[in-house]
Structure formats: structure tokens, C-alpha cells
């Protein structure tokens, strides 16, 4: 597994969670120059992009999470984080991290993801 996501769980609507995604040693040397994204897949739906952080630290968010989620990265730890606040039931899903490209390609295999369940 090249990317391991963690930090998911069951939370009530309005609550917060912080997700982490750590790169394996096999990709340590190439992690820092990559644009990274957090993705989620709700039950029965396709995977969607939630947030992006470029190698330079610029951030972009899906409209549905703007103002509630914050993406960050720590290149020294080869990690990407997603702080989620004011969670809603529609945020429920499996969350993954991977590289981001406008072409829709991904550099690394998808890890197991971390499940976020928001109850109403």
C-alpha cells in the first residue's frame, strides 16, 4: 500500500474529524513535488475530488465542502491531512488520498481509505 489513510469514524452532524494520509517509504523520495488530493466515495456513487493541495501549498476545494474542510500537508512527514468541520450526513463515505492531475490520472494505487459516517 503506497498511501494509508486514517482518522475516520462515526460522528454526529455538526461534528469534526481530522483525516491523515501517510506515504509509504517506497514513495518518500517523490512525495514532495506531487500535487495531492483528498477524494471520497459515497455508497453507490462514484469517487469525487474533495480538496487539492499543490506542491507549493495552494489549495482548492469542491463547492460542497468549501468553508468547512481544510487540506494541509507536511512534506517532512510525507503526509496530507484533511480537517473536516461542520460535518453533514452527505459527507459520509470512504475517504482516500492520491496525487492530483487536471488530466484525471493518479500516480499511485488507491489505498484502503478511511470510512467517515455522519449521523443526523
Amino acid at each position: 500500500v503506497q498511501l494509508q489513510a486514517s482518522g475516520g469514524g462515526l460522528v454526529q452532524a455538526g461534528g469534526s474529524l481530522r483525516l491523515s494520509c501517510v506515504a509509504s517509504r517506497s514513495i518518500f523520495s517523490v512525495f514532495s513535488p506531487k500535487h495531492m488530493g483528498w477524494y471520497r466515495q459515497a455508497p453507490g456513487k462514484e469517487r469525487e475530488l474533495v480538496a487539492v493541495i499543490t506542491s507549493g501549498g495552494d489549495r482548492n476545494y469542491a463547492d460542497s465542502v468549501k468553508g468547512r474542510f481544510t487540506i494541509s500537508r507536511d512534506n517532512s512527514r510525507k503526509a496530507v491531512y484533511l480537517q473536516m468541520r461542520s460535518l453533514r450526513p452527505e459527507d459520509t463515505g470512504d475517504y482516500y488520498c492520491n496525487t492530483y492531475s487536471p488530466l484525471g490520472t493518479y500516480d499511485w494505487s488507491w489505498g484502503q481509505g478511511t470510512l467517515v459516517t455522519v449521523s443526523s
Side-chain angles (χ1 to χ4, degrees), residues 31-93:
F31 178 85
S32 298
K34 300 292 186 182
H35 305 326
M36 295 298 297
W38 276 99
Y39 303 79
R40 71 183 176 195
Q41 187 166 18
K45 295 187 177 181
E46 293 188 355
R47 187 177 289 138
E48 62 173 342
L49 178 66
V50 172
V52 173
I53 185 164
T54 68
S55 57
D58 293 330
R59 300 172 173 88
N60 279 291
Y61 301 93
D63 288 343
S64 59
V65 306
K66 206 170 288 184
R68 300 188 298 121
F69 290 11
T70 302
I71 187 171
S72 60
R73 67 191 296 164
D74 184 339
N75 287 335
S76 67
R77 296 178 183 271
K78 314 304 180 189
V80 184
Y81 307 100
L82 188 68
Q83 178 68 52
M84 307 187 295
R85 298 182 175 87
S86 302
L87 283 162
R88 304 168 180 169
E90 53 264 39
D91 294 319
T92 293

Side-chain angles (χ1 to χ4, degrees), residues 96-108:
Y96 307 81
C97 74
N98 210 322
T99 56
Y100 166 77
S101 165
L103 300 176
T105 56
Y106 314 103
D107 287 4
W108 299 320

